[in-house]
Amino acid sequence: MLNRIKRATRMAMCAVGALTLGAALTLTTPSMERAHAAAPAKLTAEQTQSVQAISNYFNNFNYIQGDFIQVGPKGHVSQGLFFISKPGKLRFEYAPPNPFLVVSDGDYVIVANRKNEKSDFYPLSKTPLQLVLAPKVNLLQEANVVDVRRQDDLVAVTLEDKSAFVPGQLILVFDETKQSLVQWVIVDSDKNRTTISLSNVETGVAPDPKLFVFNAPRNIDTGQDRR
C-alpha cells in the first residue's frame, strides 16, 4: 500500500508541474515534515528579481497548455499533454503505455490509474501545485527559496513548501530571454529526482472545462477523509 501511494504521489508531483510531482503528497507526521528542510537563501537583488520574474510569468496568464516529457528517478521516460486553467485547475494526460492521469479540479488533485481504475485524492492546498495554481502567484512570499542558480540565459530556482505540509523540493527552470518556463525538477523526501521538460507551450487559449472534471471509477482511495 505504501509503495502504491508513493508511486501515485510521484505522478501528482510531476504534474506541475507540476509543477507538478516523489512522495511530496504523502501525508507525514509533524516530526517528519521538516526533517530535511534547508534554510531559506539570502538572495541578492538580482536573484530576487529572477524569482519575481517567475511569479510574474505565472500571473501573466490564466490558461496554458502544451506537451511534456517526463524522466523519472530510474530513467523511465513518459510523455503527454498538459492543460492549466487558473485558479486551481490542471490536467496532465500521459500517453500510453503510461496509465496515469493527473487532474486538479480546483479542490483536489486526483491521481488516476486508468488501467486498474483506481484513484487517489489529495487536497490541492496540501500539494506543491497550490504554489503555481493560485489566483495570484507570489513565490517569494508563499515558498522558501533555498537556491537560485544561473547558467547563460537560464535560471534555476529551488523552492520548498513554507507551510511544512509538503516535504521535498521543486526546482523551476526559467528562460529569462524567452520569459518562459522550460523545465521543472521534483526532488522528493528520499532525494529521488523527476524532471519535466515543456514544449509547444501555448497561453491564452481556454481549454474545455470538461478536462478538469473527474468521473471517479468504483475503486477510490482518498488518501484521507474528503470531508
mmCIF file with all atom_site columns, all heavy atoms in Angstrom, residues 183-209:
data_model
loop_
_atom_site.group_PDB
_atom_site.id
_atom_site.type_symbol
_atom_site.label_atom_id
_atom_site.label_alt_id
_atom_site.label_comp_id
_atom_site.label_asym_id
_atom_site.label_entity_id
_atom_site.label_seq_id
_atom_site.pdbx_PDB_ins_code
_atom_site.Cartn_x
_atom_site.Cartn_y
_atom_site.Cartn_z
_atom_site.occupancy
_atom_site.B_iso_or_equiv
_atom_site.pdbx_formal_charge
_atom_site.auth_seq_id
_atom_site.auth_comp_id
_atom_site.auth_asym_id
_atom_site.auth_atom_id
_atom_site.pdbx_PDB_model_num
ATOM 1   N N   . GLN A 1 183 ? 11.352  23.979 -17.793 1.00 0.00 ? 183 GLN A N   1
ATOM 2   C CA  . GLN A 1 183 ? 11.554  22.697 -17.116 1.00 0.00 ? 183 GLN A CA  1
ATOM 3   C C   . GLN A 1 183 ? 11.328  22.870 -15.630 1.00 0.00 ? 183 GLN A C   1
ATOM 4   O O   . GLN A 1 183 ? 11.489  23.957 -15.078 1.00 0.00 ? 183 GLN A O   1
ATOM 5   C CB  . GLN A 1 183 ? 12.991  22.208 -17.369 1.00 0.00 ? 183 GLN A CB  1
ATOM 6   C CG  . GLN A 1 183 ? 13.295  20.793 -16.927 1.00 0.00 ? 183 GLN A CG  1
ATOM 7   C CD  . GLN A 1 183 ? 14.730  20.414 -17.255 1.00 0.00 ? 183 GLN A CD  1
ATOM 8   O OE1 . GLN A 1 183 ? 15.653  20.719 -16.503 1.00 0.00 ? 183 GLN A OE1 1
ATOM 9   N NE2 . GLN A 1 183 ? 14.926  19.765 -18.398 1.00 0.00 ? 183 GLN A NE2 1
ATOM 10  N N   . TRP A 1 184 ? 10.920  21.786 -14.983 1.00 0.00 ? 184 TRP A N   1
ATOM 11  C CA  . TRP A 1 184 ? 10.991  21.750 -13.533 1.00 0.00 ? 184 TRP A CA  1
ATOM 12  C C   . TRP A 1 184 ? 11.432  20.373 -13.092 1.00 0.00 ? 184 TRP A C   1
ATOM 13  O O   . TRP A 1 184 ? 11.220  19.393 -13.781 1.00 0.00 ? 184 TRP A O   1
ATOM 14  C CB  . TRP A 1 184 ? 9.682   22.165 -12.861 1.00 0.00 ? 184 TRP A CB  1
ATOM 15  C CG  . TRP A 1 184 ? 8.506   21.271 -13.047 1.00 0.00 ? 184 TRP A CG  1
ATOM 16  C CD1 . TRP A 1 184 ? 8.174   20.181 -12.327 1.00 0.00 ? 184 TRP A CD1 1
ATOM 17  C CD2 . TRP A 1 184 ? 7.467   21.434 -14.022 1.00 0.00 ? 184 TRP A CD2 1
ATOM 18  N NE1 . TRP A 1 184 ? 7.006   19.644 -12.778 1.00 0.00 ? 184 TRP A NE1 1
ATOM 19  C CE2 . TRP A 1 184 ? 6.547   20.394 -13.805 1.00 0.00 ? 184 TRP A CE2 1
ATOM 20  C CE3 . TRP A 1 184 ? 7.227   22.360 -15.034 1.00 0.00 ? 184 TRP A CE3 1
ATOM 21  C CZ2 . TRP A 1 184 ? 5.411   20.247 -14.588 1.00 0.00 ? 184 TRP A CZ2 1
ATOM 22  C CZ3 . TRP A 1 184 ? 6.091   22.210 -15.813 1.00 0.00 ? 184 TRP A CZ3 1
ATOM 23  C CH2 . TRP A 1 184 ? 5.205   21.165 -15.584 1.00 0.00 ? 184 TRP A CH2 1
ATOM 24  N N   . VAL A 1 185 ? 12.059  20.359 -11.932 1.00 0.00 ? 185 VAL A N   1
ATOM 25  C CA  . VAL A 1 185 ? 12.605  19.131 -11.371 1.00 0.00 ? 185 VAL A CA  1
ATOM 26  C C   . VAL A 1 185 ? 12.006  18.946 -9.987  1.00 0.00 ? 185 VAL A C   1
ATOM 27  O O   . VAL A 1 185 ? 11.980  19.879 -9.180  1.00 0.00 ? 185 VAL A O   1
ATOM 28  C CB  . VAL A 1 185 ? 14.145  19.174 -11.274 1.00 0.00 ? 185 VAL A CB  1
ATOM 29  C CG1 . VAL A 1 185 ? 14.687  17.861 -10.706 1.00 0.00 ? 185 VAL A CG1 1
ATOM 30  C CG2 . VAL A 1 185 ? 14.765  19.488 -12.630 1.00 0.00 ? 185 VAL A CG2 1
ATOM 31  N N   . ILE A 1 186 ? 11.520  17.750 -9.709  1.00 0.00 ? 186 ILE A N   1
ATOM 32  C CA  . ILE A 1 186 ? 10.964  17.421 -8.414  1.00 0.00 ? 186 ILE A CA  1
ATOM 33  C C   . ILE A 1 186 ? 11.952  16.550 -7.658  1.00 0.00 ? 186 ILE A C   1
ATOM 34  O O   . ILE A 1 186 ? 12.381  15.509 -8.162  1.00 0.00 ? 186 ILE A O   1
ATOM 35  C CB  . ILE A 1 186 ? 9.637   16.657 -8.543  1.00 0.00 ? 186 ILE A CB  1
ATOM 36  C CG1 . ILE A 1 186 ? 8.700   17.378 -9.497  1.00 0.00 ? 186 ILE A CG1 1
ATOM 37  C CG2 . ILE A 1 186 ? 8.979   16.478 -7.185  1.00 0.00 ? 186 ILE A CG2 1
ATOM 38  C CD1 . ILE A 1 186 ? 8.437   18.805 -9.185  1.00 0.00 ? 186 ILE A CD1 1
ATOM 39  N N   . VAL A 1 187 ? 12.325  16.973 -6.472  1.00 0.00 ? 187 VAL A N   1
ATOM 40  C CA  . VAL A 1 187 ? 13.201  16.188 -5.608  1.00 0.00 ? 187 VAL A CA  1
ATOM 41  C C   . VAL A 1 187 ? 12.379  15.793 -4.386  1.00 0.00 ? 187 VAL A C   1
ATOM 42  O O   . VAL A 1 187 ? 11.975  16.653 -3.598  1.00 0.00 ? 187 VAL A O   1
ATOM 43  C CB  . VAL A 1 187 ? 14.446  16.990 -5.175  1.00 0.00 ? 187 VAL A CB  1
ATOM 44  C CG1 . VAL A 1 187 ? 15.386  16.108 -4.359  1.00 0.00 ? 187 VAL A CG1 1
ATOM 45  C CG2 . VAL A 1 187 ? 15.160  17.572 -6.391  1.00 0.00 ? 187 VAL A CG2 1
ATOM 46  N N   . ASP A 1 188 ? 12.082  14.500 -4.247  1.00 0.00 ? 188 ASP A N   1
ATOM 47  C CA  . ASP A 1 188 ? 11.225  14.098 -3.140  1.00 0.00 ? 188 ASP A CA  1
ATOM 48  C C   . ASP A 1 188 ? 12.027  13.944 -1.856  1.00 0.00 ? 188 ASP A C   1
ATOM 49  O O   . ASP A 1 188 ? 13.224  14.202 -1.805  1.00 0.00 ? 188 ASP A O   1
ATOM 50  C CB  . ASP A 1 188 ? 10.422  12.837 -3.497  1.00 0.00 ? 188 ASP A CB  1
ATOM 51  C CG  . ASP A 1 188 ? 11.277  11.571 -3.594  1.00 0.00 ? 188 ASP A CG  1
ATOM 52  O OD1 . ASP A 1 188 ? 12.428  11.563 -3.106  1.00 0.00 ? 188 ASP A OD1 1
ATOM 53  O OD2 . ASP A 1 188 ? 10.781  10.571 -4.157  1.00 0.00 ? 188 ASP A OD2 1
ATOM 54  N N   . SER A 1 189 ? 11.349  13.538 -0.795  1.00 0.00 ? 189 SER A N   1
ATOM 55  C CA  . SER A 1 189 ? 11.987  13.457 0.522   1.00 0.00 ? 189 SER A CA  1
ATOM 56  C C   . SER A 1 189 ? 13.062  12.382 0.588   1.00 0.00 ? 189 SER A C   1
ATOM 57  O O   . SER A 1 189 ? 13.889  12.383 1.502   1.00 0.00 ? 189 SER A O   1
ATOM 58  C CB  . SER A 1 189 ? 10.929  13.186 1.597   1.00 0.00 ? 189 SER A CB  1
ATOM 59  O OG  . SER A 1 189 ? 10.199  12.002 1.302   1.00 0.00 ? 189 SER A OG  1
ATOM 60  N N   . ASP A 1 190 ? 13.081  11.462 -0.392  1.00 0.00 ? 190 ASP A N   1
ATOM 61  C CA  . ASP A 1 190 ? 14.126  10.439 -0.471  1.00 0.00 ? 190 ASP A CA  1
ATOM 62  C C   . ASP A 1 190 ? 15.216  10.803 -1.475  1.00 0.00 ? 190 ASP A C   1
ATOM 63  O O   . ASP A 1 190 ? 16.035  9.959  -1.838  1.00 0.00 ? 190 ASP A O   1
ATOM 64  C CB  . ASP A 1 190 ? 13.516  9.084  -0.864  1.00 0.00 ? 190 ASP A CB  1
ATOM 65  C CG  . ASP A 1 190 ? 12.565  8.554  0.195   1.00 0.00 ? 190 ASP A CG  1
ATOM 66  O OD1 . ASP A 1 190 ? 12.859  8.750  1.396   1.00 0.00 ? 190 ASP A OD1 1
ATOM 67  O OD2 . ASP A 1 190 ? 11.527  7.980  -0.172  1.00 0.00 ? 190 ASP A OD2 1
ATOM 68  N N   . LYS A 1 191 ? 15.196  12.073 -1.950  1.00 0.00 ? 191 LYS A N   1
ATOM 69  C CA  . LYS A 1 191 ? 16.194  12.600 -2.897  1.00 0.00 ? 191 LYS A CA  1
ATOM 70  C C   . LYS A 1 191 ? 16.046  12.039 -4.306  1.00 0.00 ? 191 LYS A C   1
ATOM 71  O O   . LYS A 1 191 ? 16.950  12.174 -5.132  1.00 0.00 ? 191 LYS A O   1
ATOM 72  C CB  . LYS A 1 191 ? 17.632  12.361 -2.390  1.00 0.00 ? 191 LYS A CB  1
ATOM 73  C CG  . LYS A 1 191 ? 17.897  12.903 -0.983  1.00 0.00 ? 191 LYS A CG  1
ATOM 74  C CD  . LYS A 1 191 ? 17.638  14.393 -0.899  1.00 0.00 ? 191 LYS A CD  1
ATOM 75  C CE  . LYS A 1 191 ? 17.947  14.923 0.499   1.00 0.00 ? 191 LYS A CE  1
ATOM 76  N NZ  . LYS A 1 191 ? 17.651  16.373 0.633   1.00 0.00 ? 191 LYS A NZ  1
ATOM 77  N N   . ASN A 1 192 ? 14.920  11.400 -4.606  1.00 0.00 ? 192 ASN A N   1
ATOM 78  C CA  . ASN A 1 192 ? 14.649  10.968 -5.976  1.00 0.00 ? 192 ASN A CA  1
ATOM 79  C C   . ASN A 1 192 ? 14.281  12.181 -6.820  1.00 0.00 ? 192 ASN A C   1
ATOM 80  O O   . ASN A 1 192 ? 13.542  13.060 -6.368  1.00 0.00 ? 192 ASN A O   1
ATOM 81  C CB  . ASN A 1 192 ? 13.503  9.949  -5.998  1.00 0.00 ? 192 ASN A CB  1
ATOM 82  C CG  . ASN A 1 192 ? 13.846  8.673  -5.263  1.00 0.00 ? 192 ASN A CG  1
ATOM 83  O OD1 . ASN A 1 192 ? 14.887  8.069  -5.501  1.00 0.00 ? 192 ASN A OD1 1
ATOM 84  N ND2 . ASN A 1 192 ? 12.969  8.258  -4.365  1.00 0.00 ? 192 ASN A ND2 1
ATOM 85  N N   . ARG A 1 193 ? 14.778  12.211 -8.064  1.00 0.00 ? 193 ARG A N   1
ATOM 86  C CA  . ARG A 1 193 ? 14.547  13.359 -8.934  1.00 0.00 ? 193 ARG A CA  1
ATOM 87  C C   . ARG A 1 193 ? 13.684  12.960 -10.133 1.00 0.00 ? 193 ARG A C   1
ATOM 88  O O   . ARG A 1 193 ? 13.936  11.955 -10.795 1.00 0.00 ? 193 ARG A O   1
ATOM 89  C CB  . ARG A 1 193 ? 15.882  13.932 -9.438  1.00 0.00 ? 193 ARG A CB  1
ATOM 90  C CG  . ARG A 1 193 ? 16.774  14.452 -8.329  1.00 0.00 ? 193 ARG A CG  1
ATOM 91  C CD  . ARG A 1 193 ? 18.152  14.802 -8.859  1.00 0.00 ? 193 ARG A CD  1
ATOM 92  N NE  . ARG A 1 193 ? 18.124  15.980 -9.716  1.00 0.00 ? 193 ARG A NE  1
ATOM 93  C CZ  . ARG A 1 193 ? 18.313  17.218 -9.269  1.00 0.00 ? 193 ARG A CZ  1
ATOM 94  N NH1 . ARG A 1 193 ? 18.559  17.445 -7.975  1.00 0.00 ? 193 ARG A NH1 1
ATOM 95  N NH2 . ARG A 1 193 ? 18.293  18.244 -10.103 1.00 0.00 ? 193 ARG A NH2 1
ATOM 96  N N   . THR A 1 194 ? 12.672  13.762 -10.400 1.00 0.00 ? 194 THR A N   1
ATOM 97  C CA  . THR A 1 194 ? 11.832  13.607 -11.579 1.00 0.00 ? 194 THR A CA  1
ATOM 98  C C   . THR A 1 194 ? 11.879  14.914 -12.359 1.00 0.00 ? 194 THR A C   1
ATOM 99  O O   . THR A 1 194 ? 11.640  15.978 -11.806 1.00 0.00 ? 194 THR A O   1
ATOM 100 C CB  . THR A 1 194 ? 10.381  13.279 -11.195 1.00 0.00 ? 194 THR A CB  1
ATOM 101 O OG1 . THR A 1 194 ? 10.353  12.056 -10.457 1.00 0.00 ? 194 THR A OG1 1
ATOM 102 C CG2 . THR A 1 194 ? 9.502   13.146 -12.421 1.00 0.00 ? 194 THR A CG2 1
ATOM 103 N N   . THR A 1 195 ? 12.189  14.829 -13.646 1.00 0.00 ? 195 THR A N   1
ATOM 104 C CA  . THR A 1 195 ? 12.359  16.019 -14.478 1.00 0.00 ? 195 THR A CA  1
ATOM 105 C C   . THR A 1 195 ? 11.250  16.109 -15.519 1.00 0.00 ? 195 THR A C   1
ATOM 106 O O   . THR A 1 195 ? 10.957  15.133 -16.219 1.00 0.00 ? 195 THR A O   1
ATOM 107 C CB  . THR A 1 195 ? 13.726  15.992 -15.184 1.00 0.00 ? 195 THR A CB  1
ATOM 108 O OG1 . THR A 1 195 ? 14.759  15.935 -14.196 1.00 0.00 ? 195 THR A OG1 1
ATOM 109 C CG2 . THR A 1 195 ? 13.926  17.234 -16.038 1.00 0.00 ? 195 THR A CG2 1
ATOM 110 N N   . ILE A 1 196 ? 10.641  17.282 -15.633 1.00 0.00 ? 196 ILE A N   1
ATOM 111 C CA  . ILE A 1 196 ? 9.597   17.545 -16.615 1.00 0.00 ? 196 ILE A CA  1
ATOM 112 C C   . ILE A 1 196 ? 10.090  18.644 -17.550 1.00 0.00 ? 196 ILE A C   1
ATOM 113 O O   . ILE A 1 196 ? 10.440  19.737 -17.103 1.00 0.00 ? 196 ILE A O   1
ATOM 114 C CB  . ILE A 1 196 ? 8.302   18.025 -15.942 1.00 0.00 ? 196 ILE A CB  1
ATOM 115 C CG1 . ILE A 1 196 ? 7.815   17.022 -14.915 1.00 0.00 ? 196 ILE A CG1 1
ATOM 116 C CG2 . ILE A 1 196 ? 7.232   18.307 -16.987 1.00 0.00 ? 196 ILE A CG2 1
ATOM 117 C CD1 . ILE A 1 196 ? 7.300   15.757 -15.474 1.00 0.00 ? 196 ILE A CD1 1
ATOM 118 N N   . SER A 1 197 ? 10.132  18.354 -18.846 1.00 0.00 ? 197 SER A N   1
ATOM 119 C CA  . SER A 1 197 ? 10.513  19.352 -19.844 1.00 0.00 ? 197 SER A CA  1
ATOM 120 C C   . SER A 1 197 ? 9.285   19.711 -20.674 1.00 0.00 ? 197 SER A C   1
ATOM 121 O O   . SER A 1 197 ? 8.526   18.827 -21.093 1.00 0.00 ? 197 SER A O   1
ATOM 122 C CB  . SER A 1 197 ? 11.619  18.809 -20.757 1.00 0.00 ? 197 SER A CB  1
ATOM 123 O OG  . SER A 1 197 ? 12.786  18.528 -20.003 1.00 0.00 ? 197 SER A OG  1
ATOM 124 N N   . LEU A 1 198 ? 9.086   21.015 -20.901 1.00 0.00 ? 198 LEU A N   1
ATOM 125 C CA  . LEU A 1 198 ? 7.907   21.505 -21.598 1.00 0.00 ? 198 LEU A CA  1
ATOM 126 C C   . LEU A 1 198 ? 8.252   21.918 -23.020 1.00 0.00 ? 198 LEU A C   1
ATOM 127 O O   . LEU A 1 198 ? 9.355   22.396 -23.292 1.00 0.00 ? 198 LEU A O   1
ATOM 128 C CB  . LEU A 1 198 ? 7.314   22.703 -20.858 1.00 0.00 ? 198 LEU A CB  1
ATOM 129 C CG  . LEU A 1 198 ? 7.047   22.541 -19.363 1.00 0.00 ? 198 LEU A CG  1
ATOM 130 C CD1 . LEU A 1 198 ? 6.460   23.821 -18.797 1.00 0.00 ? 198 LEU A CD1 1
ATOM 131 C CD2 . LEU A 1 198 ? 6.134   21.363 -19.105 1.00 0.00 ? 198 LEU A CD2 1
ATOM 132 N N   . SER A 1 199 ? 7.302   21.759 -23.931 1.00 0.00 ? 199 SER A N   1
ATOM 133 C CA  . SER A 1 199 ? 7.483   22.205 -25.317 1.00 0.00 ? 199 SER A CA  1
ATOM 134 C C   . SER A 1 199 ? 6.133   22.554 -25.916 1.00 0.00 ? 199 SER A C   1
ATOM 135 O O   . SER A 1 199 ? 5.078   22.182 -25.376 1.00 0.00 ? 199 SER A O   1
ATOM 136 C CB  . SER A 1 199 ? 8.172   21.123 -26.154 1.00 0.00 ? 199 SER A CB  1
ATOM 137 O OG  . SER A 1 199 ? 7.380   19.949 -26.227 1.00 0.00 ? 199 SER A OG  1
ATOM 138 N N   . ASN A 1 200 ? 6.167   23.282 -27.035 1.00 0.00 ? 200 ASN A N   1
ATOM 139 C CA  . ASN A 1 200 ? 4.943   23.691 -27.737 1.00 0.00 ? 200 ASN A CA  1
ATOM 140 C C   . ASN A 1 200 ? 3.939   24.341 -26.793 1.00 0.00 ? 200 ASN A C   1
ATOM 141 O O   . ASN A 1 200 ? 2.722   24.094 -26.872 1.00 0.00 ? 200 ASN A O   1
ATOM 142 C CB  . ASN A 1 200 ? 4.300   22.478 -28.434 1.00 0.00 ? 200 ASN A CB  1
ATOM 143 C CG  . ASN A 1 200 ? 5.219   21.830 -29.443 1.00 0.00 ? 200 ASN A CG  1
ATOM 144 O OD1 . ASN A 1 200 ? 5.930   22.505 -30.173 1.00 0.00 ? 200 ASN A OD1 1
ATOM 145 N ND2 . ASN A 1 200 ? 5.231   20.501 -29.476 1.00 0.00 ? 200 ASN A ND2 1
ATOM 146 N N   . VAL A 1 201 ? 4.469   25.187 -25.896 1.00 0.00 ? 201 VAL A N   1
ATOM 147 C CA  . VAL A 1 201 ? 3.626   25.827 -24.888 1.00 0.00 ? 201 VAL A CA  1
ATOM 148 C C   . VAL A 1 201 ? 2.814   26.955 -25.520 1.00 0.00 ? 201 VAL A C   1
ATOM 149 O O   . VAL A 1 201 ? 3.345   27.783 -26.273 1.00 0.00 ? 201 VAL A O   1
ATOM 150 C CB  . VAL A 1 201 ? 4.478   26.365 -23.728 1.00 0.00 ? 201 VAL A CB  1
ATOM 151 C CG1 . VAL A 1 201 ? 3.620   27.135 -22.739 1.00 0.00 ? 201 VAL A CG1 1
ATOM 152 C CG2 . VAL A 1 201 ? 5.196   25.212 -23.028 1.00 0.00 ? 201 VAL A CG2 1
ATOM 153 N N   . GLU A 1 202 ? 1.530   26.982 -25.197 1.00 0.00 ? 202 GLU A N   1
ATOM 154 C CA  . GLU A 1 202 ? 0.630   27.998 -25.728 1.00 0.00 ? 202 GLU A CA  1
ATOM 155 C C   . GLU A 1 202 ? -0.188  28.584 -24.583 1.00 0.00 ? 202 GLU A C   1
ATOM 156 O O   . GLU A 1 202 ? -0.738  27.842 -23.763 1.00 0.00 ? 202 GLU A O   1
ATOM 157 C CB  . GLU A 1 202 ? -0.293  27.375 -26.779 1.00 0.00 ? 202 GLU A CB  1
ATOM 158 C CG  . GLU A 1 202 ? -1.200  28.361 -27.487 1.00 0.00 ? 202 GLU A CG  1
ATOM 159 C CD  . GLU A 1 202 ? -2.036  27.700 -28.563 1.00 0.00 ? 202 GLU A CD  1
ATOM 160 O OE1 . GLU A 1 202 ? -2.054  26.452 -28.615 1.00 0.00 ? 202 GLU A OE1 1
ATOM 161 O OE2 . GLU A 1 202 ? -2.666  28.430 -29.356 1.00 0.00 ? 202 GLU A OE2 1
ATOM 162 N N   . THR A 1 203 ? -0.253  29.905 -24.506 1.00 0.00 ? 203 THR A N   1
ATOM 163 C CA  . THR A 1 203 ? -1.026  30.565 -23.456 1.00 0.00 ? 203 THR A CA  1
ATOM 164 C C   . THR A 1 203 ? -2.215  31.291 -24.082 1.00 0.00 ? 203 THR A C   1
ATOM 165 O O   . THR A 1 203 ? -2.238  31.590 -25.273 1.00 0.00 ? 203 THR A O   1
ATOM 166 C CB  . THR A 1 203 ? -0.167  31.574 -22.680 1.00 0.00 ? 203 THR A CB  1
ATOM 167 O OG1 . THR A 1 203 ? 0.314   32.583 -23.586 1.00 0.00 ? 203 THR A OG1 1
ATOM 168 C CG2 . THR A 1 203 ? 1.018   30.891 -22.018 1.00 0.00 ? 203 THR A CG2 1
ATOM 169 N N   . GLY A 1 204 ? -3.202  31.570 -23.234 1.00 0.00 ? 204 GLY A N   1
ATOM 170 C CA  . GLY A 1 204 ? -4.329  32.381 -23.667 1.00 0.00 ? 204 GLY A CA  1
ATOM 171 C C   . GLY A 1 204 ? -5.458  31.637 -24.340 1.00 0.00 ? 204 GLY A C   1
ATOM 172 O O   . GLY A 1 204 ? -6.473  32.246 -24.697 1.00 0.00 ? 204 GLY A O   1
ATOM 173 N N   . VAL A 1 205 ? -5.323  30.326 -24.530 1.00 0.00 ? 205 VAL A N   1
ATOM 174 C CA  . VAL A 1 205 ? -6.388  29.530 -25.155 1.00 0.00 ? 205 VAL A CA  1
ATOM 175 C C   . VAL A 1 205 ? -7.121  28.753 -24.066 1.00 0.00 ? 205 VAL A C   1
ATOM 176 O O   . VAL A 1 205 ? -6.534  27.918 -23.386 1.00 0.00 ? 205 VAL A O   1
ATOM 177 C CB  . VAL A 1 205 ? -5.816  28.550 -26.198 1.00 0.00 ? 205 VAL A CB  1
ATOM 178 C CG1 . VAL A 1 205 ? -6.942  27.720 -26.804 1.00 0.00 ? 205 VAL A CG1 1
ATOM 179 C CG2 . VAL A 1 205 ? -5.067  29.307 -27.286 1.00 0.00 ? 205 VAL A CG2 1
ATOM 180 N N   . ALA A 1 206 ? -8.385  29.054 -23.889 1.00 0.00 ? 206 ALA A N   1
ATOM 181 C CA  . ALA A 1 206 ? -9.156  28.420 -22.820 1.00 0.00 ? 206 ALA A CA  1
ATOM 182 C C   . ALA A 1 206 ? -9.440  26.959 -23.162 1.00 0.00 ? 206 ALA A C   1
ATOM 183 O O   . ALA A 1 206 ? -10.059 26.681 -24.194 1.00 0.00 ? 206 ALA A O   1
ATOM 184 C CB  . ALA A 1 206 ? -10.463 29.165 -22.597 1.00 0.00 ? 206 ALA A CB  1
ATOM 185 N N   . PRO A 1 207 ? -8.997  26.026 -22.331 1.00 0.00 ? 207 PRO A N   1
ATOM 186 C CA  . PRO A 1 207 ? -9.290  24.613 -22.593 1.00 0.00 ? 207 PRO A CA  1
ATOM 187 C C   . PRO A 1 207 ? -10.735 24.269 -22.257 1.00 0.00 ? 207 PRO A C   1
ATOM 188 O O   . PRO A 1 207 ? -11.422 25.020 -21.553 1.00 0.00 ? 207 PRO A O   1
ATOM 189 C CB  . PRO A 1 207 ? -8.315  23.878 -21.660 1.00 0.00 ? 207 PRO A CB  1
ATOM 190 C CG  . PRO A 1 207 ? -8.058  24.841 -20.556 1.00 0.00 ? 207 PRO A CG  1
ATOM 191 C CD  . PRO A 1 207 ? -8.154  26.212 -21.141 1.00 0.00 ? 207 PRO A CD  1
ATOM 192 N N   . ASP A 1 208 ? -11.183 23.153 -22.752 1.00 0.00 ? 208 ASP A N   1
ATOM 193 C CA  . ASP A 1 208 ? -12.527 22.666 -22.463 1.00 0.00 ? 208 ASP A CA  1
ATOM 194 C C   . ASP A 1 208 ? -12.660 22.430 -20.958 1.00 0.00 ? 208 ASP A C   1
ATOM 195 O O   . ASP A 1 208 ? -11.869 21.678 -20.370 1.00 0.00 ? 208 ASP A O   1
ATOM 196 C CB  . ASP A 1 208 ? -12.756 21.353 -23.218 1.00 0.00 ? 208 ASP A CB  1
ATOM 197 C CG  . ASP A 1 208 ? -14.194 20.839 -23.096 1.00 0.00 ? 208 ASP A CG  1
ATOM 198 O OD1 . ASP A 1 208 ? -14.923 21.283 -22.186 1.00 0.00 ? 208 ASP A OD1 1
ATOM 199 O OD2 . ASP A 1 208 ? -14.571 19.972 -23.898 1.00 0.00 ? 208 ASP A OD2 1
ATOM 200 N N   . PRO A 1 209 ? -13.626 23.075 -20.287 1.00 0.00 ? 209 PRO A N   1
ATOM 201 C CA  . PRO A 1 209 ? -13.794 22.879 -18.830 1.00 0.00 ? 209 PRO A CA  1
ATOM 202 C C   . PRO A 1 209 ? -13.974 21.420 -18.430 1.00 0.00 ? 209 PRO A C   1
ATOM 203 O O   . PRO A 1 209 ? -13.657 21.038 -17.298 1.00 0.00 ? 209 PRO A O   1
ATOM 204 C CB  . PRO A 1 209 ? -15.050 23.701 -18.505 1.00 0.00 ? 209 PRO A CB  1
ATOM 205 C CG  . PRO A 1 209 ? -15.129 24.723 -19.592 1.00 0.00 ? 209 PRO A CG  1
ATOM 206 C CD  . PRO A 1 209 ? -14.594 24.033 -20.825 1.00 0.00 ? 209 PRO A CD  1
#
